[in-house]
């Protein structure tokens, strides 16, 4: 009985909501303030944040206005000084007829004003921090820009620190973020096109590119994919990233992301496209080449020898973090011959009293390491200290003394863990591939490892980002193609842009030597 | 897509049967063998094997790994190894075995049956060293006390590799080299010999020259000092010291440190008579002098070079003579050299080479060059 009732009730509410929706969509504004107010109240029923403020301008004549806005989203100073004050002080005798246009042209002191007759538009802007001004006798309303969002200050992004480069990072407000980019590229070639995603969140996003550098086919492809998106909400750029990516199931990234304006500008200047999403400091860029996993913004600010070295280190770290646990298992369980005798004896001594097979041991230890790492990231920093003690002592020292795990295994896990931190952009790929290789190696030894690596290699070579093969530049051995891949060439050699991405090839027009002849 | 995945699976599956043998043996379930000794019980004609293993279970990290000896017997070597397994919980692992010590009485009967198993076995390395024991039982070598290494096999291994370079008192010989030499007719086998030396109730094993074979049968030994001159003939000298006495009225004793050596062989064939010429060219540093010597005087240096060269030549000649008369087996590889230079001549000589060798005229023309006198100010 009860169930039937509640279901019935729910249906009724649903229908009512639907009705309002239809009205909102079809109905235009009325010329009576009272009616508009009641419609507004009806739309925002049970929504006490909405502030409606009637104003009577009594200065030699009488006119009624109504201001509506969302509390907290607006800047009160603007509303007080630039909207309410001029409206109250308006000299009605001087004006023959007060129309909406007169208000726009000579009364309200607001930079961005828009006329509308549509309720849907009103709802969207009122939710974005604009104020709505209704006037008696007009079937129109003004959307006045009075946004006063509280935003975070510009600070250095935690995830991408650097020593010598700029320290600014994106924040959550899209306009601020765009301004950070615009500040670095002062040309009309920089295009910024707004999009709105999310049926309910109505999140603003901005597609940003350099008109003369971008590959138009890639841009067209991107628009096509963006147009297809129909989702109820977008809270972060990863939402879009996963919706428009080429290889949906791949653990490897095919769309880049960054929190740094300088990185975005660097990518724009190579002909890539950036997508800003409101409410997140993370900006995504496309197309994405495999080598971008190893690039860091710091590379371009430091001496090229050092930068090249650290880039090579990152590549080495990737190989180590993927292979080391699997290689260890393969050797210890299958190919003892590889080990030099003293090492063989020492490993045998260590693992002779360990209860579990090496494969399971490695698996468990790697999981424990990942647990520690995850807690380290999510915990507040106060707990961090306790965590490191637990990690170092319990997992390391005590586990070995208690003969749960062998000491070489701890070393292997530690090496794997440390090196994985060097390529943070490949976290998901790291985890998937590492456990996959571990699985292969513990069944088939080095043969399994080789097969597993082959599979990964085949997959990686097939990766695409907006139709561009992620490995394309590495197939060529021309110096200009690989100058920014394995090494970071000095800037005077960075003559061309990545050929697959940009249409305009030459980046550096003066590459001659600096000699005084 | 399904087709592509199918292709991929076929490709991967094809890789598996193409590989060699593999098996899952956890490292904690193997017993690592470091050395093997082979004796034979003459009465029952059974092989008596002793394995030196790394005793990982009862040794601690601080003290290092201790060795342990496991005995076993069997009609064949393979069977003896299988029998040893019954005394252990884990499988014997031969991948890290460093030496195989063979009793001299077995060596006198022939080496071929001994090395056959070890060459066929997949685990044992072909670089494992083969050693002849001069003790009554080869096992005694493993039960000697250690000096610097706890594992006797490791010690024997490093004695061979180091001594072959530094003191020239033994030679380096691995399983595969032994097999290659045994297969060829032109050269005879030599293997390092080891014996126990008892001093103050401590038995220490040490290298004692080389064992000389004819075909695969042990004939006799060369002393460590003689082994040095043997090395000059076969051009295996990488270092070492030459010491001479009574050079002239001024110099009583002298030591020369060998820096490098290159021995050139050549032969002459006249009137159906073959003559070998051995020309070692030795570069030395002056190491030590007892007596008066002016190292700035060119003439004195030259004279010293000549006298020491002569003495070296005499020593080498006497070793060659000993082998020719006492053992009549071509361990110097003269036949091998002739075969390489002139195969037609070798075809003529090969049938009577043993006789020819024992009567062979060998001329030794050493040349010593003192490169550094290390003058003391």
């Amino acid at each position: 009985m009860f169930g039937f009732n509640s279901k019935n009730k729910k249906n009724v509410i649903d229908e009512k909501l639907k009705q309002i929706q239809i009205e909102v969509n079809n109905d235009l504004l009325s010329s009576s303030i009272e009616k508009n107010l009641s419609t507004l109240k009806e739309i925002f029923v049970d929504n006490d944040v909405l502030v409606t403020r009637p104003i009577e301008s009594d200065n030699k004549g009488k006119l009624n206005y109504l201001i509506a806005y969302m509390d907290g989203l607006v800047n009160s100073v603007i509303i007080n000084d630039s909207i309410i004050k001029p409206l109250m002080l308006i000299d009605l005798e001087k004006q023959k007829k007060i129309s909406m246009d007169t208000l726009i042209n000579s009364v309200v002191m607001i930079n961005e004003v828009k006329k509308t007759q549509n309720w849907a538009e009103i709802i969207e802007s009122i939710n974005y921090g604009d104020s709505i001004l209704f006037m008696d006798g007009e079937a129109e309303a003004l959307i006045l820009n009075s946004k006063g969002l509280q935003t975070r200050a510009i600070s250095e992004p935690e995830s991408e620190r650097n020593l010598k480069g700029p320290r600014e990072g994106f924040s959550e407000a899209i306009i601020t973020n765009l301004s950070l980019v615009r500040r670095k590229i002062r040309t009309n070639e920089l295009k910024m096109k707004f999009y709105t995603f999310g049926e309910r969140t109505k999140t603003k996003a901005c597609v940003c590119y350099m008109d003369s550098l971008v590959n138009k086919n890639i841009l067209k492809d991107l628009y096509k994919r963006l147009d297809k998106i129909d989702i109820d909400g977008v809270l972060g750029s990863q939402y879009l990233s996963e919706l428009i990516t080429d290889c949906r199931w791949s653990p490897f990234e095919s769309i880049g992301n960054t929190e740094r304006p300088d990185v975005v500008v660097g990518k724009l200047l190579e002909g890539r496209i950036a997508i800003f999403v409101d409410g997140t400091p993370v900006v995504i860029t496309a197309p994405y080449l495999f080598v971008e996993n190893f690039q860091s913004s710091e590379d371009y600010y430091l001496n090229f020898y050092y930068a090249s070295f650290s880039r090579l280190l990152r590549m080495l770290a990737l190989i180590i973090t993927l292979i080391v646990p699997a290689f260890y298992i393969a050797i210890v369980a299958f190919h003892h011959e590889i080990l030099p005798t003293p090492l063989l004896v020492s490993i045998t001594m260590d693992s002779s009293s360990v209860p579990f097979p090496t494969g399971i041991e490695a698996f468990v230890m790697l999981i424990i390491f990942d647990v520690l790492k995850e807690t380290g990231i999510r915990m507040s920093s106060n707990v961090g200290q306790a965590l490191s003690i637990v990690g170092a002592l319990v997992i390391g020292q005590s586990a070995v003394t208690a003969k749960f795990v062998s000491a070489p295994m701890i070393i292997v896990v530690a090496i794997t863990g440390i090196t994985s931190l060097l390529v943070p952009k490949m976290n998901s790929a790291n985890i998937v591939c590492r456990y996959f290789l571990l699985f292969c190696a513990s069944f088939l030894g080095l043969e399994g490892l080789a097969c597993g690596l082959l599979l990964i290699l085949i997959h990686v070579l097939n990766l695409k980002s907006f139709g561009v093969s992620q490995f394309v530049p590495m197939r060529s051995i021309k110096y200009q193609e690989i100058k920014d891949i394995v090494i970071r060439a000095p800037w005077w050699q960075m003559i061309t842009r990545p050929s697959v991405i940009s249409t305009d090839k030459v980046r550096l027009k003066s590459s001659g030597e600096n000699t005084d002849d | 897509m399904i087709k592509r995945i199918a292709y991929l699976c076929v490709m991967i599956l094809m890789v598996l049967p193409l590989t060699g043998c593999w098996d899952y043996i956890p490292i904690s379930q193997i017993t690592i063998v470091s050395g093997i000794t082979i004796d034979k019980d003459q009465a029952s004609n059974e092989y008596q094997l002793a394995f030196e293993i790394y005793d990982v279970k009862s040794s601690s990290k601080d003290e290092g790994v201790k060795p342990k000896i496991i005995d076993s017997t069997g009609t064949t070597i393979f069977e003896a190894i299988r029998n040893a397994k019954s005394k252990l919980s884990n499988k014997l692992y031969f991948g890290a075995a460093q030496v195989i010590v063979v009793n001299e009485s077995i060596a006198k009967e022939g080496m071929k049956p001994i090395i056959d198993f070890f060459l066929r076995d997949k685990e044992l390395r072909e670089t494992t060293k083969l050693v002849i024991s001069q003790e009554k039982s080869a096992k005694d070598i493993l039960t000697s006390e250690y000096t610097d290494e706890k594992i006797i096999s490791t010690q024997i291994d490093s004695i061979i590799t180091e001594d072959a370079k530094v003191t020239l008192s033994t030679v380096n010989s691995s399983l595969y080299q032994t097999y290659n030499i045994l297969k060829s007719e032109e050269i005879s086998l030599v293997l390092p010999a080891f014996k126990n030396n008892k001093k103050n109730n401590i038995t220490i094993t040490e290298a004692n020259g080389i064992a000389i074979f004819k075909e695969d049968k042990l004939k006799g030994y060369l002393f460590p000092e003689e082994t040095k001159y043997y090395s000059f003939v076969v051009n295996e000298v990488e270092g070492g010291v030459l010491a001479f006495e009574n050079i002239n009225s001024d110099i009583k004793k002298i030591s020369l440190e060998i820096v490098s050596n290159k021995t050139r062989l050549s032969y002459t064939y006249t009137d159906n008579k073959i003559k070998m010429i051995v020309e070692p060219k030795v570069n030395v540093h002056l190491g030590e002098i007892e007596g008066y010597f002016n190292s700035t005087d060119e003439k004195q240096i030259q004279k010293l070079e000549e006298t020491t060269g002569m003495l070296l030549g005499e020593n080498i000649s006497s070793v060659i003579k000993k082998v020719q008369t006492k053992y009549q087996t071509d361990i110097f590889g003269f036949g091998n050299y002739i075969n390489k230079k002139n195969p037609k001549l070798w075809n003529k000589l090969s049938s009577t080479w043993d006789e020819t060798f024992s009567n062979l005229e060998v001329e030794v023309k050493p040349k010593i060059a003192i490169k550094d006198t290390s003058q003391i100010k």
Side-chain angles (χ1 to χ4, degrees):
Chain A
M1 227 18 210
F2 180 75
F4 176 75
N5 258 345
S6 74
K7 201 180 168 190
N8 213 12
K9 210 174 171 185
K10 206 184 157 206
N11 278 345
V12 172
I13 293 172
D14 275 354
E15 257 164 46
K16 209 173 178 183
L17 276 174
K18 230 182 243 168
Q19 223 168 354
I20 292 172
Q21 207 67 37
I22 292 163
E23 274 173 24
V24 162
N25 286 338
N26 297 337
D27 268 26
L28 298 176
L29 285 155
S30 145
S31 54
S32 135
I33 278 198
E34 282 76 30
K35 202 165 178 219
N36 281 338
L37 180 61
S38 66
T39 319
L40 202 62
K41 286 262 163 76
E42 207 174 319
I43 291 167
F44 291 100
V45 70
D46 293 343
N47 202 333
D48 299 338
V49 191
L50 182 79
V51 178
T52 47
R53 164 77 158 87
I55 302 168
E56 260 177 48
S57 166
D58 233 352
N59 199 4
K60 300 172 188 168
K62 196 168 172 176
L63 257 175
N64 287 330
Y65 306 99
L66 180 76
I67 296 175
Y69 57 88
M70 283 290 179
D71 203 8
L73 291 180
V74 293
N75 186 342
S76 309
V77 180
I78 296 178
I79 294 183
N80 294 346
D81 291 357
S82 313
I83 303 174
I84 299 179
K85 200 170 165 192
L87 282 176
M88 284 186 168
L89 296 178
I90 187 169
D91 191 350
L92 290 169
E93 276 193 347
K94 226 175 172 182
Q95 312 280 351
K96 279 179 190 138
K97 186 178 175 266
I98 297 288
S99 69
M100 276 302 186
D101 291 319
T102 4
L103 284 183
I104 294 171
N105 293 336
S106 51
V107 181
V108 289
M109 300 168 180
I110 298 288
N111 58 352
E112 225 177 274
V113 184
K114 198 178 163 198
K115 257 197 299 193
T116 185
Q117 297 175 308
N118 189 343
W119 275 111
E121 203 171 353
I122 287 173
I123 294 165
E124 202 183 320
S125 11
I126 208 167
N127 277 326
Y128 198 47
D130 291 330
S131 310
I132 316 293
L133 176 67
F134 300 94
M135 190 168 87
D136 214 4
E138 294 275 352
E140 277 179 327
L142 290 186
I143 299 173
L144 307 168
N145 176 23
S146 61
K147 293 185 195 76
L149 290 167
Q150 291 296 314
T151 52
R152 192 162 58 94
I154 293 170
S155 60
E156 186 173 14
E158 290 281 326
S159 60
E160 289 168 85
R161 287 183 174 280
N162 77 22
L163 289 173
K164 294 228 170 152
R167 302 277 156 76
E168 60 188 10
F170 289 127
S171 63
E172 282 73 12
I174 189 168
I175 295 295
T176 323
N177 292 349
L178 289 172
S179 75
L180 287 174
V181 168
R182 175 66 79 178
R183 227 159 53 182
K184 287 180 199 279
I185 307 181
R186 292 175 198 140
T187 158
N188 60 336
E189 278 174 34
L190 177 63
K191 307 291 178 199
M192 289 171 169
K193 217 179 145 191
F194 274 106
Y195 257 83
T196 308
F197 293 108
E199 194 188 335
R200 297 209 160 69
T201 59
K202 309 269 188 216
T203 311
K204 275 223 160 63
C206 178
V207 177
C208 191
Y209 57 91
M210 297 294 287
D211 199 28
S212 56
L213 302 178
V214 76
N215 183 332
K216 291 282 154 43
N217 289 334
I218 294 175
L219 190 66
K220 222 163 40 185
D221 192 13
L222 176 74
Y223 282 145
K224 220 162 81 188
R225 291 183 199 191
L226 287 178
D227 287 336
K228 262 195 218 158
I229 295 175
D230 187 1
I231 189 173
D232 71 330
V234 173
L235 300 180
S237 42
Q238 187 68 16
Y239 285 51
L240 292 187
S241 181
E242 279 176 26
L243 284 167
I244 60 175
T245 185
D246 288 61
C247 313
R248 295 187 164 197
W249 285 104
S250 172
F252 291 88
E253 303 285 344
S254 57
I255 286 172
N257 63 67
T258 180
E259 285 186 49
R260 305 186 63 91
D262 53 322
V263 173
V264 168
V265 170
K267 296 200 170 174
L268 288 176
L269 289 177
E270 286 188 342
R272 289 191 180 83
I273 305 160
I275 303 170
F276 293 72
V277 177
D278 198 17
T280 170
V282 182
V283 173
I284 56 178
T285 56
Y288 189 70
L289 299 183
F290 195 74
V291 66
E292 286 176 57
N293 288 316
F294 305 111
Q295 289 171 335
S296 144
S297 65
E298 183 97 63
D299 288 354
Y300 300 96
Y301 306 133
L302 293 172
N303 181 290
F304 56 89
Y305 284 114
Y306 185 78
S308 303
F309 176 70
S310 37
R311 191 171 290 177
L312 288 171
L313 269 190
R314 279 176 223 132
M315 292 180 185
L316 186 72
L318 174 75
I319 295 169
I320 290 176
T321 195
L322 288 187
I323 291 178
V324 161
F327 192 70
Y328 178 76
I329 300 290
I331 283 174
V332 165
F334 294 89
H335 314 277
H336 315 130
E337 291 84 4
I338 292 175
L339 292 166
T341 312
L343 190 58
L344 175 69
V345 173
S346 136
I347 293 178
T348 320
M349 268 175 93
D350 274 318
S351 47
S352 61
S353 44
V354 172
F356 304 110
T358 325
I360 293 173
E361 201 185 333
F363 190 74
V364 170
M365 285 312 290
L366 284 174
I367 295 269
I368 287 174
F369 180 85
D370 283 331
V371 168
L372 281 176
K373 192 172 136 194
E374 190 63 20
T375 25
I377 296 168
R378 307 281 164 242
M379 278 293 114
S380 74
S381 52
N382 307 333
V383 195
Q385 206 158 12
L387 194 75
S388 62
I389 291 170
V390 169
L393 287 185
V394 176
I395 310 301
Q397 192 75 32
S398 314
V400 173
T401 348
K403 307 231 160 164
F404 278 133
V405 281
S406 60
M409 184 54 74
I410 300 280
I411 299 171
V412 166
V413 171
I415 289 176
T416 313
I418 300 272
T419 43
S420 75
L421 299 178
L422 227 70
V423 269
K425 287 179 189 170
M426 299 189 78
N427 268 343
S428 58
N430 264 347
I431 286 183
V432 173
C433 296
R434 187 190 304 143
Y435 286 110
F436 171 66
L437 288 177
L438 193 68
F439 178 80
C440 291
S442 46
F443 276 95
L444 290 167
L446 284 182
E447 279 88 53
L449 179 59
C451 287
L453 277 176
L454 270 179
L455 274 180
I456 292 173
L457 198 65
I458 290 171
H459 173 70
V460 167
L461 287 172
N462 275 320
L463 283 178
K464 285 214 169 79
S465 176
F466 288 90
V468 175
S469 175
Q470 287 201 31
F471 256 90
V472 157
M474 293 199 198
R475 286 181 193 159
S476 162
I477 44 164
K478 279 186 211 144
Y479 181 69
Q480 280 300 322
E481 292 283 326
I482 58 164
K483 64 182 184 300
D484 197 19
I485 290 178
V486 185
I487 55 160
R488 199 283 278 173
W491 268 110
W492 47 267
Q493 284 190 335
M494 297 272 198
I495 296 168
T496 58
R497 300 194 171 85
S499 61
V500 280
I501 297 172
S502 172
T503 45
D504 186 4
K505 297 277 180 286
V506 180
R507 159 158 53 191
L508 181 73
K509 282 167 188 148
S510 62
S511 56
E513 282 188 44
N514 295 322
T515 43
D516 299 323
D517 285 324
Chain B
M1 194 63 193
I2 289 166
K3 219 174 170 185
R4 273 176 67 182
I5 291 169
Y7 276 135
L8 210 64
C9 290
V10 170
M11 272 158 64
I12 292 160
L13 285 174
M14 262 161 64
V15 177
L16 299 180
L18 290 176
T19 56
C21 38
W22 54 269
D23 200 4
Y24 184 95
I25 306 164
I27 205 160
S28 50
Q29 287 172 24
I30 56 172
T31 303
I32 306 165
V33 177
S34 63
I36 308 157
T37 64
I38 306 168
D39 291 299
K40 207 172 187 179
D41 183 18
Q42 295 300 341
S44 61
N45 203 23
E46 272 194 334
Y47 285 107
Q48 294 176 320
L49 267 63
F51 305 96
E52 188 184 32
I53 61 164
Y54 290 96
D55 190 11
V56 290
K57 293 239 164 89
S58 59
S59 12
S60 73
K61 264 252 146 119
D62 306 324
E63 289 171 34
V65 201
K66 280 179 276 177
K68 196 170 159 189
I69 309 285
I70 307 283
D71 293 299
S72 75
T73 53
T75 342
T76 61
I77 293 175
F78 200 176
E79 195 191 48
I81 286 173
R82 278 290 143 95
N83 288 345
K85 168 73 188 74
S86 59
K87 294 179 186 170
L88 295 160
S89 58
N90 289 342
K91 183 185 171 300
L92 283 174
Y93 170 73
F94 289 101
Q98 280 153 319
V99 289
I100 301 166
V101 185
V102 182
N103 191 328
E104 61 178 355
S105 61
I106 301 180
K108 277 173 188 157
E109 290 168 22
M111 288 297 286
K112 270 185 185 158
I114 306 291
I115 63 169
D116 185 84
F117 167 76
F118 296 112
L119 285 169
R120 282 180 207 281
D121 187 67
K122 67 178 193 320
E123 256 180 26
L124 201 93
R125 282 166 206 257
E126 283 167 354
T127 49
T128 310
K129 292 190 172 64
L130 211 54
V131 170
I132 301 296
S133 146
Q134 291 176 318
E135 293 299 309
K136 201 189 269 172
S137 151
K139 191 187 161 190
D140 293 346
I141 298 281
L142 290 187
T143 49
S144 65
E145 270 111 305
Y146 61 86
T147 45
D148 49 354
E149 296 260 11
K150 285 186 180 175
I151 312 290
I152 302 297
S153 306
T154 316
Q155 194 179 327
I156 293 174
D157 179 68
S158 48
I159 285 174
I160 292 172
T161 32
E162 275 304 300
D163 278 16
K165 271 187 215 158
V166 180
T167 65
L168 303 174
S169 61
T170 185
V171 292
N172 200 343
S173 74
S174 48
L175 209 52
Y176 77 95
Q177 283 169 333
T178 307
Y179 178 69
N180 287 346
I181 291 172
L182 283 181
K183 264 208 319 193
S184 70
E185 291 172 10
E186 307 97 33
I187 189 163
S188 293
L189 179 67
V190 290
L191 289 176
F194 271 77
K195 67 158 191 181
N196 281 351
N197 200 346
K198 206 167 183 180
K199 267 181 200 163
N200 309 331
N201 288 331
I202 297 171
T203 323
I204 292 167
T205 190
E206 60 181 31
N208 189 28
I210 50 174
I212 294 175
F213 288 77
K214 185 161 195 172
E215 285 168 3
D216 69 332
K217 293 182 177 61
L218 179 71
K219 283 287 167 199
Y221 299 95
L222 284 185
F223 293 117
E225 183 65 17
E226 291 168 332
T227 311
K228 188 197 288 181
Y229 302 113
Y230 158 81
S231 307
F232 272 104
V233 184
V234 293
N235 193 17
E236 294 264 318
V237 177
E238 283 175 49
V241 173
L242 287 172
F244 299 108
E245 276 185 289
N246 302 325
I247 308 281
N248 53 35
S249 52
D250 286 336
I251 303 166
K252 264 196 236 156
K253 287 180 182 173
I254 190 165
S255 326
L256 301 173
E257 189 192 357
I258 301 166
V259 183
S260 67
N261 169 64
K262 187 150 177 58
T263 306
R264 265 192 57 207
L265 289 181
S266 54
Y267 73 93
T268 55
Y269 185 64
T270 41
D271 308 333
N272 279 338
K273 211 168 174 316
I274 195 151
K275 183 186 167 194
M276 289 300 304
I277 299 155
V278 182
E279 290 173 286
K281 234 176 129 179
V282 202
N283 289 335
V284 295
H285 287 172
L286 200 54
E288 178 187 14
I289 283 180
E290 274 183 40
Y292 173 75
F293 177 67
N294 182 4
S295 57
T296 52
D297 189 352
E298 280 278 327
K299 269 185 196 161
Q300 277 200 36
I301 295 176
Q302 210 171 358
K303 218 174 144 196
L304 187 67
E305 282 177 349
E306 274 166 27
T307 18
T308 48
M310 211 181 65
L311 289 170
L312 176 65
E314 277 169 22
N315 290 339
I316 294 175
S317 297
S318 73
V319 171
I320 297 176
K321 200 90 227 157
K322 184 183 173 186
V323 175
Q324 278 178 320
T325 51
K326 208 172 166 189
Y327 304 125
Q328 291 123 31
T329 172
D330 182 8
I331 56 169
F332 305 109
F334 291 152
N336 188 27
Y337 175 74
I338 294 170
N339 187 11
K340 271 183 194 160
K341 287 282 163 186
N342 193 344
K344 277 182 194 160
L345 177 63
W346 173 249
N347 282 343
K348 219 160 75 184
L349 293 172
S350 59
S351 54
T352 57
W353 181 245
D354 282 352
E355 277 169 48
T356 325
F357 174 75
S358 49
N359 301 317
L360 192 68
E361 193 189 332
V362 184
E363 194 188 348
V364 185
K365 289 198 278 189
K367 195 174 177 312
I368 290 185
I370 299 174
K371 293 287 175 189
D372 188 356
T373 54
S374 327
Q375 181 164 19
I376 306 165
K377 276 174 197 165

